[in-house]
Amino acid sequence: MPKPTPTKYRTTNWPEYNAALKRRGSLEVWFDPGMA
């Protein structure tokens, strides 16, 4: 029996998605001081 294909989720409303991330507090940007 073949494995089922994994479900692909595609974001179609990016502004709403970004706003939801900000409300949830999961929008993080990491900077590495050692990068050139």
Side-chain angles (χ1 to χ4, degrees):
M1 184 177 222
K3 288 184 177 180
T5 57
T7 305
K8 292 182 181 177
Y9 297 99
R10 191 164 285 167
T11 302
T12 56
N13 190 350
W14 284 103
E16 185 176 317
Y17 177 73
N18 286 336
L21 286 180
K22 288 177 186 177
R23 283 194 306 270
R24 203 171 70 183
S26 295
L27 190 64
E28 294 183 2
V29 179
W30 291 63
F31 293 100
D32 184 3
M35 286 183 63

